[in-house]
Amino acid sequence: METCRIYLSGGMSGLSLDEQTKWRKRVQDAIKYGYEHEKKPVFFDPTQHYSLFEQEHKSEREAFEYDLNALRKSDLVIVNFNAPQSIGTAMELMLAKELRIPVIALNKDHVELHPWLIECCTRICDDLKELVEHIIKFYLM
């Protein structure tokens, strides 16, 4: 079965571990178990590698390079605008745009986004159901 590598982007700094991880788990479960698909989704969740709460890395550059390397290998980016001021998220979206990797966004709270964040997104969804159904139909079938 062909795979689709999906990078899970979204705010981390200033958020609790639960705020960082809960939505990522929910998206993964909804995509993996809620629908049939032809391509196997393989997720990269940055929160599962370098933690803001445990200093496993010697420098921020180490975590930065590790995450961006994973993004470069991705076929699709899912971003949650749970912290639209996140500089890391903005940098990930710009890299995805430069590499022509589609970006599907979740903006369930309808927060006002900087126009450049909007320009980096292929589609912005209003809720999780719309996001998952769009990804299944256009990227996993």
Side-chain angles (χ1 to χ4, degrees), residues 50-68:
Y50 286 102
S51 169
L52 296 174
F53 304 102
E54 298 173 22
Q55 286 297 319
E56 298 171 316
H57 52 287
K58 289 188 175 185
S59 71
E60 283 301 312
R61 182 176 183 161
E62 180 182 341
F64 173 78
E65 293 292 342
Y66 186 82
D67 288 353
L68 293 185

Side-chain angles (χ1 to χ4, degrees), residues 1-6 37-42 140:
M1 177 184 273
E2 188 179 346
T3 61
C4 179
R5 296 172 309 247
I6 302 172
H37 31 75
E38 294 175 7
K39 294 180 184 175
K40 178 184 176 188
V42 176
L140 297 177

Side-chain angles (χ1 to χ4, degrees), residues 77-81 103-107 121 123-126 131:
V77 172
I78 296 174
V79 62
N80 183 357
F81 285 121
V103 174
I104 309 302
L106 177 62
N107 188 9
C121 295
R123 181 183 181 113
I124 299 176
C125 301
D126 296 323
L131 177 121

Side-chain angles (χ1 to χ4, degrees), residues 80-97:
N80 183 357
F81 285 121
N82 58 343
Q85 72 285 1
S86 168
I87 189 70
T89 300
M91 293 178 79
E92 290 169 346
L93 296 186
M94 186 60 214
L95 179 59
K97 180 162 183 60

Side-chain angles (χ1 to χ4, degrees), residues 118-133:
I118 294 168
E119 290 303 315
C120 288
C121 295
T122 308
R123 181 183 181 113
I124 299 176
C125 301
D126 296 323
D127 58 47
L128 183 64
K129 184 176 191 249
E130 177 190 357
L131 177 121
V132 170
E133 288 178 352

Side-chain angles (χ1 to χ4, degrees), residues 6 9 12 19 22-23 27 49 53 62-63 68 71 73 75 83-85 92 98 102 104 108 119 122:
I6 302 172
S9 178
M12 291 172 62
E19 291 171 314
K22 195 173 186 178
W23 76 266
V27 165
H49 300 278
F53 304 102
E62 180 182 341
L68 293 185
L71 190 145
K73 297 175 185 175
D75 301 304
Q85 72 285 1
E92 290 169 346
E98 282 297 300
I104 309 302
K108 68 179 180 79
E119 290 303 315
T122 308

